Amino acid sequence: KESVHRICSGQVVLSLATAVKELVENSVDAAATCIEIKLKEYGAESIEVSDNGLGVEEKNFEGLTLKHHTSKLSDFSDLVNVTTFGFRGEALSSLCALSNVTIITRHDSADVGTKLVIDGNGKIVSRSPIPRQRGTTVMVQNLFYSLPVRHREFQRNLKREFGKMMQVLNAYCLINTTVRISCHNQTGKGNRMTMVCTNGNPSVKANIADVFGPKQLMSIMPFEQHNPTEDIYTEFGIRPDRSQTCNLRIEGFISKCEHGQGRSSADRQYVFINKRPCDAHKVLRVVNEVYHSYNRHQYPFVVLLIFMSSGSVDVNVTPDKRQIFVEGEQILLATLKVSFSLPTGNITE
Ligand code: ADP
Ligand code: MG
């Protein structure tokens, strides 16, 4: 039973990137305005995520790291209106099965912090008082030690895994306004890298400047949404009476279509559905195809915030919640195609 839990846990926490992603999501869910990520040896030795969020109440200590314990869904019908990142209670219990987890937390109701050391089954093995401000620190040591093959693979590809983690972290930095997120890495050679990812800006645009540098703002423009024509609806197989069903709204920033404003590779392309970062391959394919027709061999910078009625989005498809099934997918793709084909906004209806 224990090994089954370990294997399943390996499907929730796939990599350094997913480990950090889950911890950052928990901090955002806890209403943190400052999140600090500290890695040792690119995360191979330890990953520490500290926040100034709500903290954990003492009565919730025991359940915190048990499988399917979540404080975020009270009722099954809530599943259609998920607004927090987490809702399945799998991340912490999975991390416990794959690494050595220590949690330090303080809730407003406590006058001192508590340090909890957790075992592989999610049980608390020691509990001690420790000073700390309100908030939570989760420390993950020896990630994947219990899955030897994954562990060796991780150790072999540390820098690449670290790069993937930064890519994921960038997405959270872009979308979370008013949250300051910083990341440090320390190596045995005494090297210390500090990367302030975002300073708690009020807008996504300011976050773009923090994450990619202020120069990036010069080559991008706001995305303008236009409604598909009858022809486009037909091309995408949408019946006219279905076209209004998902209350689609698209915002964000894309490269200007002028020559030389794109990029030679498909990095810097981020799609969010209802503020959740996701791998939206089909969305990016449409966007890239249209862009290629203006600027051959170039990819646009893309930060797209797609909002749809939560009833037409299912975030529950894969354990990492990155693949999102969209009922109104064709409507979304059709809208992107028309909007992107009219980059100057001179729409002739
Ligand atoms: P989920 O996020 O799906 O609820 P997790 O396993 O990620 O499940 O976390 C389990 C529970 O632990 C959460 O529901 C939350 O109550 C608590 N928790 C985890 N991280 C934090 C944090 N940084 N601050 C406050 N509470 C937290
Ligand atoms: Mg979570």
Side-chain angles (χ1 to χ4, degrees):
K1 183 168 165 279
E2 227 168 86
S3 59
V4 171
H5 179 43
R6 213 179 292 151
I7 292 163
C8 295
S9 299
Q11 290 167 346
V12 177
V13 178
L14 300 162
S15 60
L16 172 67
T18 36
V20 171
K21 161 192 171 293
E22 292 290 343
L23 296 175
V24 169
E25 285 188 350
N26 282 346
S27 295
V28 174
D29 285 348
T33 56
C34 185
I35 304 171
E36 228 183 310
I37 300 137
K38 286 188 191 158
L39 305 185
K40 284 200 176 134
E41 302 298 336
Y42 301 93
E45 194 181 314
S46 66
I47 306 161
E48 199 181 299
V49 177
S50 302
D51 68 51
N52 64 350
L54 298 170
V56 182
E57 267 182 282
E58 183 168 5
K59 66 172 185 345
N60 294 328
F61 286 173
E62 291 292 339
L64 198 58
T65 46
L66 297 180
K67 200 164 161 53
H68 300 309
H69 174 91
T70 175
S71 59
K72 298 169 195 169
L73 267 191
S74 44
D75 172 343
F76 189 74
S77 66
D78 278 1
L79 253 179
V80 292
N81 296 311
V82 182
T83 53
T84 52
F85 282 118
F87 53 86
R88 277 193 294 241
E90 284 181 323
L92 283 185
S93 78
S94 300
L95 282 169
C96 290
L98 302 171
S99 66
N100 300 311
V101 174
T102 306
I103 299 173
I104 297 174
T105 190
R106 181 172 163 196
H107 186 262
D108 271 337
S109 62
D111 34 50
V112 65
T114 304
K115 178 175 172 177
L116 304 167
V117 180
I118 324 278
D119 73 9
N121 296 314
K123 297 220 171 66
I124 297 171
V125 291
S126 94
R127 181 196 281 224
S128 48
I130 189 169
R132 100 145 263 159
Q133 306 270 305
R134 195 193 78 169
T136 304
T137 301
V138 178
M139 165 118 99
V140 169
Q141 285 168 302
N142 305 319
L143 182 61
F144 299 130
Y145 83 94
S146 59
L147 295 175
V149 178
R150 182 91 55 95
H151 190 246
R152 278 196 298 277
E153 193 66 18
F154 175 42
Q155 302 274 340
R156 242 200 316 273
N157 300 305
L158 274 187
K159 299 220 170 134
R160 200 177 71 204
E161 291 296 307
F162 182 80
K164 281 199 237 163
M165 186 228 44
M166 284 305 293
Q167 171 84 4
V168 170
L169 198 54
N170 281 347
Y172 287 85
C173 292
L174 291 170
I175 197 67
N176 287 300
T177 48
T178 71
V179 183
R180 184 190 150 85
I181 301 176
S182 66
C183 180
H184 316 250
N185 179 40
Q186 193 173 358
T187 66
K189 295 174 192 128
N191 292 336
R192 242 187 108 85
M193 270 196 277
T194 301
M195 293 154 281
V196 170
C197 307
T198 171
N199 278 302
N201 306 300
S203 71
V204 171
K205 192 174 178 185
N207 283 344
I208 291 175
D210 273 357
V211 174
F212 301 114
K215 260 176 132 175
Q216 182 70 67
L217 295 183
M218 287 164 16
S219 65
I220 60 173
M221 61 182 186
F223 181 86
E224 255 185 71
Q225 181 181 351
H226 297 287
N227 288 330
T229 55
E230 290 293 318
D231 292 2
I232 300 279
Y233 275 137
T234 313
E235 183 193 324
F236 281 80
I238 304 157
R239 296 204 316 270
D241 60 314
R242 295 269 300 128
S243 62
Q244 295 308 319
T245 51
C246 56
N247 292 318
L248 179 64
R249 183 162 60 84
I250 310 172
E251 294 172 9
F253 297 89
I254 51 171
S255 290
K256 292 173 185 163
C257 283
E258 289 142 39
H259 188 70
Q261 301 288 9
R263 301 178 57 80
S264 58
S265 63
D267 60 347
R268 302 197 181 182
Q269 299 198 323
Y270 296 85
V271 177
F272 304 89
I273 297 183
N274 296 345
K275 295 207 165 178
R276 190 182 285 277
C278 55
D279 296 324
H281 299 293
K282 288 185 191 165
V283 165
L284 289 175
R285 195 185 310 141
V286 170
V287 169
N288 288 333
E289 267 170 22
V290 177
Y291 198 80
H292 284 325
S293 65
Y294 292 93
N295 282 331
R296 291 177 68 194
H297 312 305
Q298 293 233 308
Y299 294 89
F301 172 94
V302 182
V303 173
L304 280 185
L305 282 68
I306 298 166
F307 298 94
M308 312 180 81
S309 337
S310 53
S312 55
V313 178
D314 180 358
V315 291
N316 214 15
V317 179
T318 55
D320 68 358
K321 308 182 212 96
R322 279 187 73 92
Q323 283 185 30
I324 294 188
F325 171 76
V326 175
E327 191 183 68
E329 189 171 61
Q330 292 304 101
I331 299 169
L332 167 61
L333 298 180
T335 306
L336 280 168
K337 185 164 176 176
V338 247
S339 305
F340 218 58
S341 304
L342 298 161
T344 53
N346 297 327
I347 189 165
T348 42
E349 299 252 57

